Amino acid sequence: AAQPRAMENLGSLLQLPVGASFQEMLAWLELCDWEEQQAVDGVTAMLRLHSVERELFSRAASRFTRTPLQQEEVMALEKVVDNYREVHMHFMASPASQACMQTEWQSRLLLVVWVSYCLLHDAACHVHPMVASYGVCLHWTDLKHLVLSDRTAVDAALGVSAYLWGHSNPGKELFCLRDGRREGTATFDLALQYAGCNNVMLGFWEEHCQDADDRTEAHWQEVQH
């Protein structure tokens, strides 16, 4: 009799399948009314956080050897990370988080974001090979400040560190706000290189130039008359 009562009180939570794609992960996160199922002790929030971490950390621990993400997966990953950060924020503000080491929870959040960055960078290099000739904007040495207690997270941090080290190019960091006096030179160089060989953007530029010439001519005609 005790077991049925316990099951009734505890309820049930859907598990995220191991190896799920990011589209599947997003659907899982959006499937249930998590607010209604949210337990007082934060079990639901912890399930969501650890499930997302499990999938992301496993990709990093394997040194990002899977096939680069396609566009649909990239978009889903962005939403998954946004969802993770929102749940993380609410969990950290709840009494349930007080039983956990705050520094480690913040470290895991940062690691999730950095793993996602590596996945997105890998996808960008696959679609736009010119990106690979520039460097990443994150410094792998910053990961030494993380506080992680489990092997999976440590292996993920090592995977991220190896990826960032392998894709570093000092002086040519893309989208970097700490490149000193270079003031984003690499980013502007990439933008010019990309625009110079993209027919769509060249078309926009030619159209813009034509519109500017037409306005100048119209203004000149107005002045003459």
Side-chain angles (χ1 to χ4, degrees):
Q3 184 174 359
R5 287 199 301 271
M7 293 300 296
E8 182 178 353
N9 291 332
L10 290 174
S12 62
L13 296 173
L14 291 175
Q15 299 291 313
L16 177 67
V18 175
S21 68
F22 292 114
Q23 294 177 77
E24 293 171 337
M25 199 180 306
L26 182 61
W28 174 76
L29 290 169
E30 296 177 343
L31 179 62
C32 297
D33 186 354
W34 293 99
E35 295 297 330
E36 181 178 338
Q37 293 192 11
Q38 180 66 54
V40 176
D41 60 357
V43 171
T44 303
M46 293 182 69
L47 174 65
R48 296 174 75 181
L49 295 175
H50 286 312
S51 296
V52 172
E53 291 170 2
R54 182 194 71 208
E55 295 304 315
L56 283 170
F57 292 176
S58 67
R59 286 165 169 79
S62 63
R63 299 298 195 267
F64 304 98
T65 54
R66 300 189 186 185
T67 303
L69 302 180
Q70 299 300 313
Q71 181 64 30
E72 295 78 9
E73 282 288 273
V74 166
M75 296 175 64
L77 173 57
E78 293 176 355
K79 294 180 180 179
V80 166
V81 174
D82 286 342
N83 189 294
Y84 177 94
R85 297 180 71 169
E86 181 180 0
V87 175
H88 186 279
M89 178 183 66
H90 289 295
F91 177 72
M92 294 300 293
S94 70
S97 69
Q98 302 307 310
C100 308
M101 188 163 63
Q102 305 294 298
T103 304
E104 179 166 6
W105 275 109
Q106 295 296 343
S107 296
R108 299 179 80 88
L109 169 62
L110 186 145
L111 186 55
V112 163
V113 174
W114 280 36
V115 171
S116 302
Y117 171 85
C118 293
L119 289 168
L120 295 177
H121 180 268
D122 183 52
C125 290
H126 180 70
V127 177
H128 305 290
M130 66 180 68
V131 173
S133 63
Y134 293 84
V136 293
C137 65
L138 303 179
H139 291 196
W140 63 273
T141 54
D142 291 340
L143 291 171
K144 66 184 180 181
H145 301 294
L146 297 186
V147 177
L148 304 167
S149 62
D150 63 282
R151 179 61 182 271
T152 302
V154 172
D155 287 345
L158 292 174
V160 171
S161 179
Y163 183 91
L164 295 178
W165 180 83
H167 291 82
S168 295
N169 193 342
K172 297 188 68 176
E173 299 91 344
L174 285 179
F175 311 111
C176 184
L177 300 180
R178 56 180 183 182
D179 59 351
R181 297 181 179 179
R182 292 187 294 274
E183 298 179 349
T185 301
T187 304
F188 286 109
D189 287 345
L190 174 66
L192 289 173
Q193 183 181 355
Y194 179 78
C197 61
N198 185 282
N199 293 330
V200 175
M201 298 193 72
L202 287 174
F204 287 149
W205 172 253
E206 292 173 357
E207 182 179 346
H208 174 79
C209 290
Q210 185 61 52
D211 288 343
D213 291 341
D214 291 344
R215 289 194 300 271
T216 301
E217 180 64 24
H219 179 69
W220 181 243
Q221 292 295 333
E222 182 178 349
V223 170
Q224 287 182 321
H225 293 83

